[in-house]
Amino acid sequence: MTERYVWDLQEVDETQVAVVGGKGAHLGGLSRIEGIRVPGGFCVTTDAFRRIMAEAPSLDDRLDQLSRLNPDDREAIRTLSAEIRRTIEGIAVPGDLAAAITRALAQLGEQAACAVRSSATAEDLPTASFAGQQDTYLNVVGPTAILQHVSRCWASLFTERAVTYRQRNGIDHRTVHMAVVVQRMVFPHAAGILFTADPVTGNRKIATVDAGFGLGEALVSGLVNPDVFKVRHGEVVAKAIAAKQRAVHALPTGGTHEVAIDPQRQEQPALTDAQVVRLVQLGRRIEAHFGRPQDIEWCLVDGGFQIVQSRPITTLFPIPETGDQENHVYVSVGHGQMMTDPMKPLGLSMWQLTAMVPMHTAGGRLFVDVTRRLASPASRAGLLDAMGRGDPLIRDALETVLDRDDFVPSLPDAGPGGPPAGGASAPIETDPAIVTELIERSQVSIAALERDIRTKTGPALFDFLLEAFEEHKRVLGDPLSMQAIMAGMEATWWLNDTLQEWLDEKNAADTLTLSAPDNVTSEMGLALLDVADVIRPRPEVVAFLQSVAYVEDDAFLDELAKVPGGTEARDAIEAYLDLYGMRCVGEIDITRPRWRERPTTLVPVILDNVRNFEPGAAERRFEQGRQKAQKKEQDVLSRLRALPDGDRKADEAKRMIDRVRTFIGYREHPKYGIVSRYFVYKQALLEEAERLVQAGVLPEKEDIFYLTFQELHDVVRSHQVDGRLIQPRKDAFRSYHALTPPRVLTSDGEAVTGAYRRDDVPADALIGLPVSAGTVEGRARVVLDIAEADLEAGDILVTTFTDPSWSPLFVGIAGLVTEVGGQMTHGAVIAREYGLPAVVGVEQATRLIRDGQRIRVHGTEGYVEILS
């Protein structure tokens, strides 16, 4: 096929990104929508760009050098990318290519003023926005100037910013090509940007229009503040008119300049309300055409609107699909499960199949629809109470939605709202034998699963698993187990509320529950201290572990056995993995690598324990906690006896203290059971995947993670897979990492954040939820990946969320701050177990606190101060 260097805009549409780049393809698509006017023009194709790149063989070496640079080496990137740009701009445009561009220009009028705009093949994709990374030149006049600016657009593929963006996102420089759009210039009365969804809240029903006088560059470059209009259901519902002192206008000879706006006009709106409504109608038409909310650049020329660009808004959190037009309110599951990262499709579908309530997915996260429970006044109170105890921000967000009278319908109390969340449970005796029996039941059930699954393969495995999921739910929903969990939580709440009333003491339960028995998660942290005790006296083992600390090495345990003293060390690690090897960060996603699959994950934590602790630390820590709790109990009871009616109060408190110590440790056990089962399921599914790879059905085992359970079942039955399914899912999963899941999401797409309504904290403190009493000051270590934690004794851990896999780190820190969490989530429970002051639910903590800063954590009051 011969290269074609120029296409008219009318000839292209959004399927031709590879030929004309993202911007060109979108403009072509726009020009085909009925009623949408797009300034005429043409595209210089990516064939032309490739031809130019081939003219300078030296570019090849430079691209090789560029791809080897570290994205953080800004100086080297700046120097090399500038060289590449200079080389491209210095290449003479070959005669036949120049002639093709000049011919297309003659169609527009040879001396017509044009906008010359770069259009890269990796720009304006649904999953990555490269907005503003390449260049646009306005009011370019004459063939010589046009050719020169086309060269500049080609070169702009290698601006420092575009290069860094590609390096950080793992995009190969050679796979991105540059087309150029040349359009007839329009000289607007007003211009600006239309978002067909509110870019701040995500609400898809509200469109936002930014408008200013003259060319849109004044707004894009930040030269002026725009007028801002918000439109809902065809009417302007809010507007803010700015004082627009300057505008950008075109010069007759080419180029643009700033002009001052006549003082009488500065406060005038750039658009009338009727024009704003008309513009939004056009925007809705464009949105319908592209199938998702758009960020649109528009111009007002002679009373009519022309559209000069449209691209998807990539920052919006997706909405769960329901297939109906009703209003829905969704609560994030990840905020309760301490896992706000995106999950892969197999992980999402396995959680849905084993969860106790129906769950919806969006943006790689799970959500529960609470609309019906909010609609009925009877279930609403229970739901808000349960949510508020877990995470006050979720409760506040739900109340914000309820305050909008029209969003949640009101159902009569008899409606199918179900019982209130955490409703009254029948009381059970304070008897440690109950916990022992529950743990035993769970172990028997898991042992049966491990035994029975061994013989199952192919479709029979999937039939077996569907039955296993029913048993999984039966164990989770065991009424006695629920009662034990509620007994521990209710006793905690009673102690905190009542002792604050009687003794004016806050969060007393935090100390009373120290070293509570049967807490499988805190035992896991202490057990790793025992592993460190085996390793500490063996210097060759320590040296070997230091050499593999940050390496993924599946065979490292075998290697370890060859080192002097290594057999004992390996046995200690193996014994630990037998008990806890099914755990990992983000463990509710079955696709995440478990410690048993990647044991080197534990090495940095073991080395921290070797360095920071003395032998016998685990037993001492547990004993100190137990004694502290005992002392606290004696103190509380003697103070209560001194009060009026003191003996009764002391007896009641004693009963609750015994109750909380009996049951609170068990709260961590159901999750341990879930994750133990997950590991059994996963091993069976990976063996099945191995057979699919052997049979040539799948290229690699881990591809099954991008299929749902049902799809995988179908593949195993038919031995066929839709090859086009997996890659887009990998791309989508990657893109979901850039999205922050909201605590509460509505079917309008609005992310409702919630706020702490408190005035009892210092002005510049970071507010959160107090979950473990005490105050501590120390160095903040901001850790986003447990494998990169490098902690000294006395450090305060600051992270997004912690799940049980982080517990081994808790033994070595002095305090904890997380962005996600509630009173009874894992981080809070373990922080109390170990007596660490902790504040959770601190919005954006990992951004607002810098690694190494000194901070003070007020675990009793629920706020953090930054000291340096």
Side-chain angles (χ1 to χ4, degrees), residues 21-308:
K23 195 174 293 170
H26 262 82
L27 282 167
L30 279 168
S31 64
R32 290 159 176 251
I33 306 172
E34 197 180 329
I36 303 297
R37 290 168 58 203
V38 175
F42 59 90
C43 301
V44 182
T45 64
T46 51
D47 281 338
F49 173 76
R50 277 189 285 267
R51 167 97 182 263
I52 288 295
M53 294 296 277
E55 296 279 324
S58 67
L59 284 171
D60 246 13
D61 296 342
R62 289 193 178 137
L63 287 182
D64 285 340
Q65 282 173 268
L66 196 57
S67 59
R68 286 196 294 271
L69 292 178
N70 181 326
D72 296 322
D73 190 347
R74 297 188 53 179
E75 197 46 51
I77 288 178
R78 186 175 300 132
T79 309
L80 192 52
S81 57
E83 270 180 43
I84 294 172
R85 286 199 306 279
R86 273 199 304 277
T87 305
I88 295 172
E89 285 186 36
I91 296 169
V93 179
D96 57 332
L97 173 49
I101 294 172
T102 311
R103 269 199 306 279
L105 189 58
Q107 302 281 304
L108 293 181
E110 199 158 285
Q111 292 304 309
C114 292
V116 183
R117 318 173 75 189
S118 44
S119 176
T121 53
E123 136 184 272
D124 300 344
L125 303 179
T127 55
S129 178
F130 290 65
Q133 285 190 15
Q134 279 94 33
D135 296 350
T136 288
Y137 301 98
L138 298 179
N139 202 30
V140 183
V141 180
T144 311
I146 296 275
L147 285 171
Q148 185 188 357
H149 285 86
V150 168
S151 286
R152 281 190 190 165
C153 283
W154 287 329
S156 75
L157 192 60
F158 297 98
T159 60
E160 184 189 343
R161 187 174 155 208
V163 166
T164 306
Y165 184 91
R166 289 196 293 270
Q167 310 262 88
R168 285 194 199 290
N169 286 279
I171 297 167
D172 180 351
H173 299 299
R174 293 171 194 278
T175 60
V176 184
H177 299 114
M178 182 63 85
V180 182
V181 175
V182 179
Q183 267 179 300
R184 187 190 293 280
M185 184 75 192
V186 290
F187 301 103
H189 161 75
I193 297 163
L194 156 64
F195 296 99
T196 63
D198 189 318
V200 179
T201 67
N203 194 325
R204 312 299 203 266
K205 298 266 172 78
I206 292 180
T208 305
V209 175
D210 290 5
F213 293 121
L215 291 164
E217 298 313 293
L219 304 191
V220 176
S221 64
L223 178 66
V224 296
N225 289 329
D227 296 341
V228 180
F229 302 85
K230 292 197 181 293
V231 176
R232 184 186 175 100
H233 299 319
E235 63 176 307
V236 175
V237 290
K239 61 179 161 183
I241 306 304
K244 299 167 289 295
Q245 292 167 347
R246 309 191 72 66
V248 173
H249 283 198
L251 287 164
T253 52
T256 60
H257 69 139
E258 280 177 39
V259 295
I261 292 177
D262 181 350
Q264 279 82 47
R265 276 185 74 214
Q266 288 179 9
E267 307 275 347
Q268 292 270 313
L271 295 177
T272 65
D273 284 10
Q275 285 172 326
V276 170
V277 169
R278 195 163 87 235
L279 175 61
V280 169
Q281 284 167 346
L282 296 176
R284 292 281 176 231
R285 201 175 286 182
I286 294 169
E287 178 182 67
H289 175 83
F290 289 119
R292 53 192 304 157
Q294 298 287 304
D295 159 356
I296 297 165
E297 289 179 30
W298 56 269
C299 295
L300 179 66
V301 190
D302 301 330
F305 287 105
Q306 299 212 20
I307 305 299
V308 292

Side-chain angles (χ1 to χ4, degrees), residues 802-859:
T802 64
D803 58 14
S805 71
W806 289 71
S807 310
L809 292 186
F810 284 25
V811 296
I813 56 175
L816 174 71
V817 179
T818 68
E819 294 182 349
V820 175
Q823 272 292 342
M824 287 294 167
T825 46
H826 303 277
V829 172
I830 305 307
R832 289 195 290 271
E833 275 285 298
Y834 290 162
L836 298 174
V839 180
V840 302
V842 179
E843 286 277 83
Q844 301 202 338
T846 58
R847 293 190 198 127
L848 298 171
I849 299 170
R850 286 199 308 280
D851 188 53
Q853 279 184 317
R854 279 196 76 70
I855 61 172
R856 189 181 295 133
V857 176
H858 295 262

Side-chain angles (χ1 to χ4, degrees), residues 545-558:
L545 291 180
Q546 283 165 339
S547 73
V548 298
Y550 296 102
V551 185
E552 271 182 42
D553 177 5
D554 296 342
F556 108 93
L557 287 170
D558 299 334

